[in-house]
Amino acid sequence: MTVDLDIQQITVRFGGIVAVNDASLHAEGGTITGLIGPNGAGKTTLFNVCSGRVRPTQGTVTLGGQKLDGHSSANRAHRGLGRTFQRMELFENMTVRENVRTGPEALFSSNRFYGLFICSRKEGREIRDRADEAIERCGITQLASQTVGDLSTGQRRLVELARAMATPFKFLLLDEPSSGLDHSETGQFGQVLLDFVSDTGTGILLIEHDMSLVAEVCALIFVLDFGRMIYTGTTSDALVSPVVKAAYLGEVAVAGA
Amino acid sequence: MTRLLEYLVPGIADGSIYAICALGLVLTYKTSGVFNFAHGALAAAAAYAFYQFRNRNHLPWPVAAILALIIVGLIGGLLLERLAGWLSSAPPVTLVVATVGLLVFLQSLATAVYGASNIDDFRPFLPQSGFHVGHVTVSGSDMIIAALALGTAVGLYYFFQRARLGVSMTAVVDDPNLLSLQGVNPANVRRIAWILGATFAGISGELLAPELGVSVNDLILLVITAYGAAAIGLFDSLPLTFLGGLLIGVAVDVLPAYLPSSNVTLQSLPRNIPFLILFAVLVFVPARKFTERGMRNVRRLKPIRQYSLTVMGPAMSLAAVGLIVLPFVINRARVDQYSAALGYAVIFASLGLITWTSGQISLCHLAFAAIGASTMGHSLSAGVPWIFALLFAGLIGIPAGAIVAIPANRLSGVYVAVATFGFGILIQQIFYPTFLMFGVLNNIAVPRPHVLGIGFTGDRAYYYLCLIVTALACASILVVLRSRLGRLLRALSNSPVALDAHGANTNLIRVVVFCFSAFLAAIGGALLAGVPQSASGATGGQFDFTVSLVFVAILAFCGRRPLISPFIAAFLYEVIKIYPFFDNETVLKYQGVAFGLLAIMVAVAPGIQAGRLATSRRSSERDRSPVTQRLDDRRLGPIQPSALALGPPVYRSGRSPSNGSLSNGSSSNGAGVRPLGSKTGRQL
């Protein structure tokens, strides 16, 4: 069963600055939706609103019909919303395998009141299986016993992605998962995401700067500029849209084009 | 009315002193992100210096006062700035350890040089004559103090609102790199803030000295009043802090007159108003009202080296055998000392557990131990079998731990330490002398037991009983560290944000481990009390709040190992003083000085090292400032210095801001901009 993410009229103000201005977005479950925009457009802020790290001035976030407003980050995770971070949040002193296992383990730990202390045999097996599967999916099997702190940026991105994939989320928010990957890695990366979505039915909302990747995987993209949602449509349409060009390159460039 | 005035006038004067002190505290916290637990000790240091110059060197008081301020305010302030600089990207635990180490250092030094007792031949130095309102005298000194405080507050307020330097001061803690791009030297800004902060502490110490007498413990305790005032200002607002100081001063002086003088507990309440306020603020004010200062770009603690089982197994067995044969190897008269050390080892282990795994620091662990010891005494006298009494003592520790941990963990980092600091003093002052704990005589009997028909009253027998309990405590710690809770704790110390995003209840994890720690500490306290077969809550005794601080300092330099470090710490604290060289008067006197100094050194060492290594690890992404990150994200090519149009950042004394990406990208730019080590060009 797939689950949709719906963002309705979110506004976020930091003091006098309006970071996100009345932005709405609908991302369908079981597909990959792109969220692009120039730097400072408010993409990560929108993610932070969804995952409960930033309280919006107004607006609502709904996941599969359940309102998420007012819930803590942990609560939202339990409702099925997972995310990765632009500035990676990894357990630096742990190995790759431990990192990935900690994802589902963290979720299971607060399922029951004794979950913090006791890990049943069945749960333990599920954690191991999920972690192994996600590690393989992301192609980091050969790194599994290395400490995360020693890895390159691209490898660390993959670890973070594997951790989110190992956790039984229904919807994932991925914040620039491909930045730091080298060219060949990026090439395979799109297929990894597509396989994951078709295998598990998880929905993905993707912030990405690499347009070829976006074009490869996203059915639909949303373009955010100065906190406003300025464009919605298929990727190929978006790339030729004058509105989007103006946002990325400035008005003059459009006039000259 | 006259009666009110009679207490109100000195109340305002006292309140003004607290306000000055609190303003200094908030000022340095705002500008450096370091919550200075030694702020009160600075005040005491100034008072002692003042006393030294005035009474012993017979200098006129203005000269003595200014000399003392130069030493504490100027020199002390500059040293503190250096300290804060080294700590600028240290984790909260390290910040607390450093300033607590400084507090222990100053307090022990003052006690060693001037003795622990109050020096009361310190005459007032400000004019005492004044005018009368009815029967109430308003002395010159009251007026001078109040005017001084008001002037300071108003001056500071306008300074922060208007002056460029003041605005820089609030900026410096959030992003020193950005500030240096604006052509302001962050180090200079910090220096001025610390000099002002230390000077304020010094002034308050000098003003309090004639009233209280020069006594390091009283001064530290009374200047902690400033924490209450700072809490009213939410550790941020200067005007509110000032008002808070006044309010506390008035309340402390006026309230006793209106409370029934026969009730000892009620009479002790007003003195504890600052702690009650501190606690109430931390409990009831919503978490988002608190600004956590300087929590960006925090460096993580290096992982401790793990030894394999082939190394650890034999080593552990050897240590265990050593502990078992010990009572037959050493002089019989010393067995008791080792039994006590086992009790202390349990307390150290419980403290280490929360400090190094969940990053919480407790400055009240001896209060939990005291709760355990007194509960043990009560249970035993009620006829409860020893084993159950011990368990019960531990269980009582759990709610006590929860009372501090639940509110403190809504907030983060340094506020946990502040809350425990207040809690420890509160328990000691209000509950130690009541029937709940040590009774009016502040002493309770804790006899040694007969367990399962075997008498453990002998020294060696009791040692073995302690050893069994200690072994069980260690085993329980190992089990916790190996369990899911332990794994989540490791994750928590690395990235609480990620753990939260994956659905773990991070607050619950912190509270649970804190309560477990309090449980163990209470058991340790109960064991400890069985050694002399009595426990006392006397000031300066084994459960005094200052001992909790010393514990934090000692544990800091004994390493971060969950089981070995506590034993080393307990040995250093309790046992070493009975052996030659360490058993003479001078070494004992200066023991605390050494503990404090070592703690500071351990805390700043990574900072100094990082300063030397300069940029070798700066290219890793999480160390970059938002500015460089965004520049990088735009995929701009090398940046020419002219493009910044703000001039090159000013790096002084080898402490460049915490990233080198800017200049890494522009290897062709001018001299002096490139930080040391960027030549290595090591990219992750």
Side-chain angles (χ1 to χ4, degrees), chain B residues 140 150 196 213 313 319 360 389 399 454 632 673:
Chain B
L150 192 67
L196 283 177
Q360 297 164 297
I454 310 164
D632 213 43
V673 181

Side-chain angles (χ1 to χ4, degrees), chain B residues 369-391:
Chain B
I371 288 171
S374 58
T375 310
M376 190 78 183
H378 288 301
S379 306
L380 289 177
S381 69
V384 179
W386 192 83
I387 293 179
F388 293 107
L390 185 70
L391 208 59

Side-chain angles (χ1 to χ4, degrees), chain A residues 8-164:
Chain A
Q8 281 299 326
Q9 296 169 332
I10 293 284
T11 300
V12 181
R13 287 199 182 86
F14 296 126
I17 298 167
V18 185
V20 178
N21 191 356
D22 198 26
S24 300
L25 176 157
H26 183 87
E28 222 168 284
T31 65
I32 303 176
T33 309
L35 176 61
I36 64 168
N39 283 300
K43 304 182 295 292
T44 298
T45 306
L46 199 59
F47 266 29
N48 285 341
V49 168
C50 293
S51 67
R53 292 180 55 74
V54 168
R55 191 183 289 207
T57 317
Q58 62 182 55
T60 61
V61 179
T62 323
L63 184 72
Q66 277 184 310
K67 274 202 176 166
L68 298 181
D69 310 315
H71 286 290
S72 67
S73 292
N75 251 328
R76 291 174 198 232
H78 276 279
R79 275 152 216 266
L81 188 70
R83 72 168 293 182
T84 66
F85 295 85
Q86 186 181 13
R87 303 180 81 174
M88 285 172 284
E89 292 284 349
L90 286 162
F91 310 125
E92 304 285 335
N93 303 341
M94 297 181 167
T95 65
V96 170
R97 190 177 287 115
E98 286 171 324
N99 259 276
V100 178
R101 281 185 186 172
T102 305
E105 179 134 51
L107 192 74
F108 293 155
S109 76
S110 49
N111 273 346
R112 293 183 208 87
F113 74 93
Y114 55 81
L116 263 188
F117 309 99
I118 297 162
C119 167
S120 71
R121 205 169 278 248
K122 183 167 150 271
E123 248 179 27
R125 201 177 317 122
E126 190 180 345
I127 290 170
R128 276 196 300 279
D129 292 348
R130 284 187 158 276
D132 290 346
E133 190 196 327
I135 286 175
E136 201 178 325
R137 214 182 256 291
C138 295
I140 46 175
T141 316
Q142 74 285 1
L143 302 174
S145 351
Q146 287 194 34
T147 307
V148 164
D150 302 335
L151 301 181
S152 74
T153 307
Q155 290 167 330
R156 291 155 56 83
R157 290 262 177 227
L158 291 174
V159 175
E160 206 188 17
L161 181 68
R163 190 178 61 190

Side-chain angles (χ1 to χ4, degrees), chain B residues 195-241:
Chain B
I195 290 171
L196 283 177
T199 309
F200 289 172
I203 291 174
S204 62
E206 290 182 351
L207 292 176
L208 275 174
E211 200 173 320
L212 288 172
V214 183
S215 148
V216 64
N217 288 325
D218 283 354
L219 274 170
I220 286 178
L221 208 58
L222 263 153
V223 185
I224 292 167
T225 313
Y227 293 1
I232 291 180
L234 297 179
F235 304 99
D236 188 59
S237 156
L238 292 172
L240 279 179
T241 302

Side-chain angles (χ1 to χ4, degrees), chain B residues 257-590:
Chain B
Y258 293 89
L259 289 170
S261 55
S262 52
N263 189 328
V264 182
T265 311
L266 270 184
Q267 278 293 319
S268 74
L269 215 54
R271 273 191 293 129
N272 290 297
I273 284 174
F275 311 116
L276 291 172
I277 289 178
L278 178 66
F279 214 63
V281 166
L282 293 175
V283 172
F284 294 114
V285 176
R288 67 196 135 82
K289 299 266 184 200
F290 291 93
T291 337
E292 189 92 1
R293 295 281 172 190
M295 283 298 117
R296 305 243 310 259
N297 300 323
V298 170
R299 191 188 320 119
R300 295 188 175 94
L301 291 171
K302 267 198 208 135
I304 50 172
R305 194 200 292 171
Q306 303 283 345
Y307 293 105
S308 67
L309 208 64
T310 47
V311 182
M312 287 308 277
M316 284 299 214
S317 325
L318 206 67
V321 171
L323 284 173
I324 290 169
V325 300
L326 189 76
F328 293 96
V329 182
I330 56 171
N331 186 339
R332 185 152 194 172
R334 289 172 174 171
V335 173
D336 267 357
Q337 213 79 31
Y338 279 93
S339 306
L342 288 175
Y344 280 122
V346 175
I347 301 173
F348 273 118
S350 68
L351 184 61
L353 180 71
I354 49 170
T355 311
W356 305 131
T357 58
S358 68
Q360 297 164 297
I361 220 162
S362 160
L363 301 178
C364 65
H365 247 54
L366 268 291
F368 296 136
I371 288 171
S374 58
T375 310
M376 190 78 183
H378 288 301
S379 306
L380 289 177
S381 69
V384 179
W386 192 83
I387 293 179
F388 293 107
L390 185 70
L391 208 59
F392 187 59
L395 290 177
I396 290 287
I398 292 178
I403 290 174
V404 210
I406 291 174
N409 278 297
R410 296 179 316 126
L411 317 165
S412 57
V414 74
Y415 293 115
V416 180
V418 177
T420 54
F421 197 68
F423 180 78
I425 296 167
L426 201 64
I427 292 272
Q428 177 171 2
Q429 299 218 330
I430 296 186
F431 290 105
Y432 278 17
T434 63
F435 71 96
L436 285 172
M437 291 185 69
F438 298 108
V440 187
L441 294 175
N442 233 337
N443 208 319
I444 191 170
V446 187
R448 290 179 186 179
H450 289 267
V451 182
L452 307 171
I454 310 164
F456 283 94
T457 46
D459 290 348
R460 281 180 186 158
Y462 190 71
Y463 172 85
Y464 284 115
L465 189 62
C466 287
L467 191 59
I468 293 168
V469 176
T470 308
L472 287 175
C474 290
S476 72
I477 289 178
L478 275 188
V479 167
V480 165
L481 290 179
R482 293 275 170 118
S483 72
R484 170 178 278 175
L485 182 60
R487 287 193 292 275
L488 293 177
L489 279 171
R490 278 178 69 199
L492 186 70
S493 65
N494 277 287
S495 169
V497 173
L499 207 54
D500 205 32
H502 285 80
N505 189 339
T506 45
N507 279 350
L508 184 67
I509 294 174
R510 287 200 181 96
V511 170
V512 163
V513 73
F514 196 95
C515 289
F516 177 60
S517 172
F519 169 82
L520 287 179
I523 285 190
L527 285 184
L528 207 54
V531 177
Q533 311 220 38
S534 74
S536 151
T539 310
Q542 63 181 155
F543 296 123
D544 194 72
F545 82 97
T546 51
V547 181
S548 301
L549 306 177
V550 174
F551 266 45
V552 169
I554 296 178
L555 196 65
F557 62 82
C558 287
R560 287 186 273 136
R561 303 199 167 270
L563 294 186
I564 302 168
S565 303
F567 282 95
I568 299 173
F571 184 81
L572 286 178
Y573 179 71
E574 181 64 16
V575 180
I576 203 167
K577 60 190 175 199
I578 57 175
Y579 286 103
F581 178 73
F582 295 101
D583 59 353
N584 74 64
E585 197 76 5
T586 323
V587 174
L588 278 180
K589 255 165 74 177
Y590 286 92

